[in-house]
Amino acid sequence: AAGKKMPIHDEWGHDPSVQSMRRVFSHMEKAQNELLRNLKISFSDQRLRRGREQALKLFERVWPLAARKGITESDEDAALLYIHCLANGLSLNGISIPREVLPQHERISSFLKEEL
């Protein structure tokens, strides 16, 4: 008993809200990697770290409001909101974001313009 390791068991994995958050984060990561690949930005670029920090702060502030307003109705919508927040954070740190590399979503774009 004393030296035995307990098997790792995911107690949270059955919680629907945890499952939803994991799906959101998975979509966010996939969308972020695609955006960075399209922008040809290295993961070691210092501007990326600062841009991601700013994006996360903005996302955490606006996501609940976007959900209440019906702007983000799915996990994919939440990921799109994050990508638009990331684009904002990157542009604040001197990284140009061509319009064609950013997934277009008029409701999210309009919402963020109001919130910024």
Side-chain angles (χ1 to χ4, degrees):
K4 265 188 163 177
K5 287 191 173 190
M6 295 295 292
I8 296 172
H9 183 67
D10 186 1
E11 297 287 328
W12 296 97
H14 300 292
D15 183 326
S17 63
V18 171
Q19 290 175 352
S20 176
M21 285 305 300
R22 286 180 177 169
R23 282 191 305 272
V24 168
F25 288 136
S26 175
H27 288 294
M28 286 168 60
E29 183 178 14
K30 182 179 174 189
Q32 172 185 258
N33 290 342
E34 185 177 329
L35 177 66
L36 296 178
R37 187 175 58 252
N38 288 336
L39 292 172
K40 296 175 177 54
I41 295 177
S42 164
F43 280 96
S44 63
D45 189 320
Q46 286 301 308
R47 300 172 299 172
L48 179 58
R49 184 181 58 78
R50 291 188 304 270
R52 286 160 102 178
E53 288 171 0
Q54 290 170 311
L56 186 57
K57 285 179 187 173
L58 176 59
F59 180 74
E60 288 175 342
R61 180 173 65 84
V62 299
W63 186 24
L65 182 59
R68 280 195 304 274
K69 289 185 169 190
I71 309 257
T72 53
E73 297 175 340
S74 68
D75 301 337
E76 291 87 359
D77 288 346
L80 278 175
L81 177 63
Y82 173 74
I83 289 306
H84 282 260
C85 291
L86 179 59
N88 178 266
L90 294 175
S91 63
L92 290 173
N93 286 281
I95 297 174
S96 177
I97 311 291
R99 183 174 172 83
E100 63 272 8
V101 300
L102 195 59
Q104 298 305 306
H105 192 290
E106 194 53 45
R107 291 175 70 200
I108 287 175
S109 298
S110 298
F111 168 75
L112 277 179
K113 284 178 187 163
E114 291 172 15
E115 294 303 314
L116 295 172

